Amino acid sequence: MRLAFAVICLLFAVLLRAADPPITEQELVRRTQELYDSIISGNQAPWKKYFADDSTFSDEKGRTFDKTKLVADITPFPAGYSGAIKIDNVISRIIADTAILSYDANETETIFGQNLKARYHITDTWLRRNGDWQIIASQAHRYYEDPALGKADEKKFPDYIGKYELAPGQTRTVAVENEKLFIERNGKKEELLPETSDLFFRKGIEGRILFHYDATGKVDTLIDRRNNEDVVWRRVK
């Protein structure tokens, strides 16, 4: 009798699970967009609903939040600020009680009439427990974007021309061609684009290039600044 009752309970549980199909990508996207739509007004309700109590969230700045800190971070935009976040390029993997949603989040923000844009890539892991689907882990990173193009002081270009050495046998050269500044190493030539008159960047490469003047007014080093740390190349020619 007890065995028969146990079998019946098991079959009933199986039927209930069959009647509760896995979540769809469309529903995951709908919920995710609901989360981002609530940021502008500071509506914390979707974040309380869709994030599990034991969830973790790691943002593009390297900060990690538990649910309490994450929800507390959702506050209304200040006066003069507005914006929106829309998701696209969605990829999902839904297996049994686990769903992974990976997507781009495209942010537009207006600050007292000035428009800004940013792009992020985010991966959320959803877990079904007790019939509810909630995010158990989320991680974001920000896409690198080149800075706005500024205006160079072409009169200074002759100061930069030369060969710079990092270590014996490790050199790079700076040259001017058609009134443009170029840097070359191991046969690879890249244009130095101005962010300001004295600060340069290479297209698609994070970091900055700047030149240091010695006490006599001559350029003595090329500085390759990466993540606020400097790799110094000394001028040898």
Side-chain angles (χ1 to χ4, degrees):
M1 231 4 226
R2 291 181 178 178
L3 178 61
F5 180 73
V7 170
I8 291 172
C9 288
L10 179 62
L11 289 173
F12 184 69
V14 170
L15 289 173
L16 283 178
R17 182 167 291 272
D20 183 20
I23 199 166
T24 64
E25 178 182 288
Q26 182 179 12
E27 176 60 15
L28 290 173
V29 170
R30 186 197 69 77
R31 294 185 182 192
T32 303
Q33 190 61 63
E34 182 183 347
L35 287 167
Y36 291 119
D37 289 344
S38 71
I39 290 178
I40 307 303
S41 63
N43 179 13
Q44 297 178 348
W47 297 81
K48 293 177 180 178
K49 179 180 179 180
Y50 294 135
F51 274 81
D53 290 341
D54 55 349
S55 62
T56 62
F57 176 83
S58 298
D59 71 4
E60 74 284 357
K61 299 177 182 178
R63 303 176 300 176
T64 298
F65 300 84
D66 60 14
K67 181 177 180 177
T68 300
K69 291 181 179 178
L70 173 62
V71 171
D73 201 50
I74 306 300
T75 57
F77 273 30
Y81 287 64
S82 63
I85 299 176
K86 300 299 181 183
I87 68 173
D88 63 8
N89 297 328
V90 174
I91 299 174
S92 67
R93 296 291 184 268
I94 304 172
I95 304 172
D97 291 335
T98 303
I100 298 174
L101 192 73
S102 182
Y103 54 91
D104 289 341
N106 300 308
E107 179 183 22
T108 57
E109 186 175 1
T110 302
I111 302 177
F112 291 95
Q114 299 186 49
N115 298 319
L116 303 175
K117 294 182 180 180
R119 292 193 310 133
Y120 307 88
H121 187 78
I122 302 167
T123 299
D124 296 333
T125 300
W126 294 73
L127 190 64
R128 177 167 61 180
R129 291 186 290 196
N130 301 319
D132 291 330
W133 285 92
Q134 290 184 305
I135 297 172
I136 188 67
S138 180
Q139 185 163 14
H141 77 256
R142 183 171 181 170
Y143 284 109
Y144 170 76
E145 304 286 354
D146 288 331
L149 190 64
K151 183 172 179 56
D153 185 353
E154 297 176 1
K155 295 179 181 179
K156 292 185 177 181
F157 282 3
D159 296 346
Y160 308 146
I161 295 173
K163 180 182 288 188
Y164 299 83
E165 183 181 71
L166 177 64
Q170 300 294 320
T171 61
R172 65 203 312 181
T173 59
V174 175
V176 176
E177 297 180 13
N178 299 320
E179 299 181 345
K180 294 181 179 180
L181 198 63
F182 290 88
I183 190 168
E184 183 174 358
R185 183 184 182 191
N186 298 329
K188 182 180 180 180
K189 183 187 296 183
E190 298 168 300
E191 184 178 356
L192 292 180
L193 301 166
E195 182 176 357
T196 68
S197 61
D198 298 301
L199 189 64
F200 301 88
F201 66 94
R202 292 162 290 170
K203 188 174 180 60
I205 298 177
E206 191 169 3
R208 303 292 189 271
I209 298 290
L210 55 153
F211 298 89
H212 178 267
Y213 287 83
D214 63 17
T216 67
K218 294 183 179 180
V219 172
D220 61 352
T221 56
L222 178 152
I223 299 171
D224 189 347
R225 180 162 294 167
R226 308 177 187 180
N227 196 28
N228 296 322
E229 295 185 319
D230 293 343
V231 177
V232 178
W233 297 68
R234 303 199 177 279
R235 189 171 187 172
V236 294
K237 185 177 179 180

